[in-house]
Amino acid sequence: MKSKNSRLLREILSIIVFAAVCFGIYEGASFLRGLSVNRVYGKDTRKQILHMAQDQDWEQAAETIKNKGQHNLSNAPERLDPYLVILIPKWDRPRDSQLWKVLACSEKDPGSLDGIQTVVFCKYTEETAGYGQPGASTSSSTGTSEFVHISYVNAQTGLPYKWEYYGKDLPGKSSGTPHFKVSTNKLLSHIKKALQDLGKQP
């Protein structure tokens, strides 16, 4: 009888733990969905938005991704939203807009970019660090971490108002070889939160 009760108790606990894990995953996914902006899918849709972006003459503004000390919060538009997120390839010259990739737009169905207040330019880069056994003369493995240069630009004036270098620093020591990534969803969630926080400032 005691054995049967113990088995029943274990089964109930297993069900409770499973339900808690499922709930945590659901809540986490809902949180991320709430933070993420509307992804832009489909070659034709991206192409259409890209043509509109080129018509807005943002090629010069894309150079601000390099951050040459020209970002100033006083350049921000009165309203930061709606915004468009554009990815510049690692090896691309920022002004070569033919190679830009539209990642997302805070408008669900952007038929025109005339109302866009902020264009966010992003460019991935990577940092590395060597890891090895204590006392070893050379490192035996190389850790990597993705970082993203993010430039927030007033879409109406082309003037930059905020710049970030977003990613996770590699640790000085590690038992394994770390490899950190910045996924598109994580990047978009960060951008949305950064703009929300900025919009709350007096």
Side-chain angles (χ1 to χ4, degrees), residues 60-61 63-73 75 159-162:
Q60 185 76 31
E63 291 284 340
T64 63
I65 202 73
K66 296 176 179 177
N67 186 26
K68 294 184 177 177
Q70 51 194 333
H71 292 73
N72 190 323
L73 278 176
N75 293 333
L159 297 174
Y161 63 87
K162 179 179 173 67

Side-chain angles (χ1 to χ4, degrees), residues 23-124:
F23 179 76
I25 291 171
Y26 172 79
E27 285 299 305
S30 298
F31 174 74
L32 287 176
R33 278 199 301 273
L35 282 181
S36 63
V37 70
N38 299 303
R39 295 285 299 273
V40 175
Y41 295 103
K43 194 177 287 185
D44 291 340
T45 307
R46 278 182 167 154
K47 193 173 180 182
Q48 178 189 359
I49 295 176
L50 191 53
H51 279 312
M52 287 191 283
Q54 289 165 346
D55 290 341
Q56 298 285 334
D57 193 25
W58 288 334
E59 283 85 352
Q60 185 76 31
E63 291 284 340
T64 63
I65 202 73
K66 296 176 179 177
N67 186 26
K68 294 184 177 177
Q70 51 194 333
H71 292 73
N72 190 323
L73 278 176
S74 65
N75 293 333
E78 283 186 30
R79 205 164 36 91
L80 307 181
D81 191 272
Y83 59 93
L84 183 71
V85 182
I86 292 176
L87 178 67
I88 296 173
K90 291 180 187 178
W91 46 271
D92 175 35
R93 294 187 304 278
R95 288 197 201 182
D96 194 352
S97 58
Q98 293 295 325
L99 298 173
W100 291 353
K101 181 179 179 182
V102 179
L103 289 184
C105 184
S106 62
E107 294 279 74
K108 258 188 179 177
D109 188 19
S112 165
L113 297 186
D114 292 342
I116 294 292
Q117 298 298 309
T118 296
V119 57
V120 185
F121 294 103
C122 305
K123 186 172 184 177
Y124 277 80

